[in-house]
Amino acid sequence: MDIKSVDLNLLPVLDALLRHRSVTLAARELDMSQSAVSTALGRLRDTLGDQLFVRTGRGMLPTPRASQLAEPVNTILDKLRDEVLSASGFVAADSERTFTLGLSDVGSYVLWPRIVSAVAQQAPSVRLRMRVVTQPLIASALESAEIDVALGAYPDLPDTLYQRRLFERKYVAMVRIGHPLAGKRLSVQAFARCPQAVVRLASGIQDRIDETLAQQGLTRERVLEMPSYLMLPPLLDAGDHLAVIPGQLADAFARHGQFKLLKLPFDLPASVIRMHWHKRFHEDAGNVWLRGVISSNFA
């Protein structure tokens, strides 16, 4: 039998008849006339090639074929109601869904622990995964659902992505507590002369520093370039390098290490941390819930 020839609207009728064994009661539950239920039963008999129900002195009794269909028909209708027609389909407290978050190295250090804690409070069985992603990979990763949301300062992402502003981060200079500049007011000249560990990322903040110094005829004299902010603490702790890093990350480093934070001697624009997701998943109930948890903690 070709499924295209089967009217699936007949399944609720069969289910109601199997439970009530009465055309009258089935019609009342389905809000149909008795004649319409009887017509539907006739079509079911033709489709399945079986009488399905036989009238007896004890009412309508199912045939063996009809009895065999009771459980699968009920299962099909339950899945249709719960997984296809449900308005949400996602209950955080009961869900075992896995979400993958795309974060920068800063986000993995500053944001990730708070997100894990917040999700665990509302959805103890939800599983979280983290990927450190670079800006060129974000759009395709969100579109393909390799990641569910991306968090960070990522300028110039495509219009296929939705976004929400979470917070701003300002930059500070960080040195070890015993550094010659620790506890002093940092001048532009002293900043330029100090050996520096530089992390160049998509935010472009290091290029902005170079431009600011160039306007005053200065350049950073000794620069050590590194790929990640997370590599900075042991380097700064071991010598006299200075690093310009996001304030929230500097605060976290200072709590766990012997570092001093210094106000920069020039103004830098704050980076805006945003949450990004693909329009494919804008109305996905689980994605909506996850975005709500993140927004409530950081927006």
Side-chain angles (χ1 to χ4, degrees):
M1 184 186 302
D2 188 344
I3 194 171
K4 293 193 294 293
S5 66
V6 178
D7 184 354
L8 298 181
N9 290 312
L10 297 174
L11 292 184
V13 176
L14 178 56
D15 178 63
L17 287 170
L18 283 165
R19 286 184 288 105
H20 295 296
R21 302 187 181 187
S22 163
V23 170
T24 301
L25 295 177
R28 185 178 303 164
E29 176 184 304
L30 297 169
D31 197 21
M32 297 170 62
S33 67
Q34 293 187 43
S35 61
V37 172
S38 295
T39 299
L41 176 57
R43 294 177 61 194
L44 281 165
R45 285 167 169 163
D46 292 340
T47 299
L48 298 174
D50 188 270
Q51 283 295 303
L52 298 177
F53 295 92
V54 176
R55 292 186 181 278
T56 71
R58 293 179 293 158
M60 297 178 64
L61 294 182
T63 65
R65 171 69 167 147
S67 295
Q68 291 173 355
L69 292 173
E71 184 175 346
V73 167
N74 183 261
T75 299
I76 290 169
L77 293 175
D78 281 346
K79 282 186 171 293
L80 183 64
R81 282 189 291 264
D82 296 341
E83 300 179 20
V84 179
L85 302 179
S86 170
S88 172
F90 180 85
V91 179
D94 301 328
S95 177
E96 297 181 356
R97 182 167 166 178
T98 298
F99 293 100
T100 304
L101 282 70
L103 296 166
S104 65
D105 57 353
V106 176
S108 67
Y109 200 92
V110 176
L111 307 182
W112 177 247
R114 285 178 60 183
I115 294 171
V116 170
S117 176
V119 167
Q121 290 178 23
Q122 295 188 32
S125 297
V126 160
R127 295 178 291 273
L128 293 178
R129 295 184 301 196
M130 181 183 68
R131 282 187 56 194
V132 175
V133 291
T134 58
Q135 179 160 322
L137 302 177
I138 290 174
S140 61
L142 287 169
E143 181 178 14
S144 63
E146 293 177 44
I147 58 177
D148 294 285
V149 297
L151 303 172
Y154 303 117
D156 304 321
L157 288 177
D159 293 338
T160 52
L161 302 181
Y162 285 92
Q163 62 173 275
R164 176 168 183 180
R165 179 189 180 104
L166 296 179
F167 60 89
E168 289 186 349
R169 66 181 185 193
K170 296 184 178 181
Y171 290 85
V172 299
M174 188 172 80
V175 296
R176 64 180 175 85
I177 285 181
H179 192 282
L181 296 176
K184 297 181 180 179
R185 182 174 180 178
L186 192 60
S187 68
V188 178
Q189 290 77 15
F191 175 88
R193 287 194 303 267
C194 185
Q196 294 190 29
V198 171
V199 179
R200 295 188 186 275
L201 299 176
S203 64
I205 202 67
Q206 299 294 341
D207 295 332
R208 185 64 175 265
I209 293 173
D210 291 337
E211 294 168 3
T212 301
L213 293 176
Q215 291 170 2
Q216 301 186 45
L218 298 171
T219 60
R220 288 186 275 192
E221 298 175 1
R222 289 169 288 173
V223 172
L224 178 64
E225 294 209 6
M226 304 176 70
S228 170
Y229 286 119
L230 301 187
M231 298 177 179
L232 291 173
L235 176 74
L236 299 186
D237 194 43
D240 287 339
H241 282 83
L242 171 151
V244 177
I245 66 176
Q248 290 90 347
L249 184 61
D251 289 339
F253 284 158
R255 286 195 298 270
H256 300 293
Q258 302 299 308
F259 300 108
K260 182 72 174 179
L261 309 185
L262 306 175
K263 185 178 184 299
L264 291 169
F266 42 76
D267 292 328
L268 290 177
S271 289
V272 178
I273 304 301
R274 293 182 171 89
M275 175 169 54
H276 304 270
W277 64 97
H278 197 273
K279 62 182 181 181
R280 285 180 59 203
F281 306 101
H282 182 61
E283 296 180 354
D284 174 78
N287 197 289
V288 170
W289 170 81
L290 178 63
R291 297 192 319 255
V293 171
I294 293 170
S295 296
S296 65
N297 276 272
F298 296 106

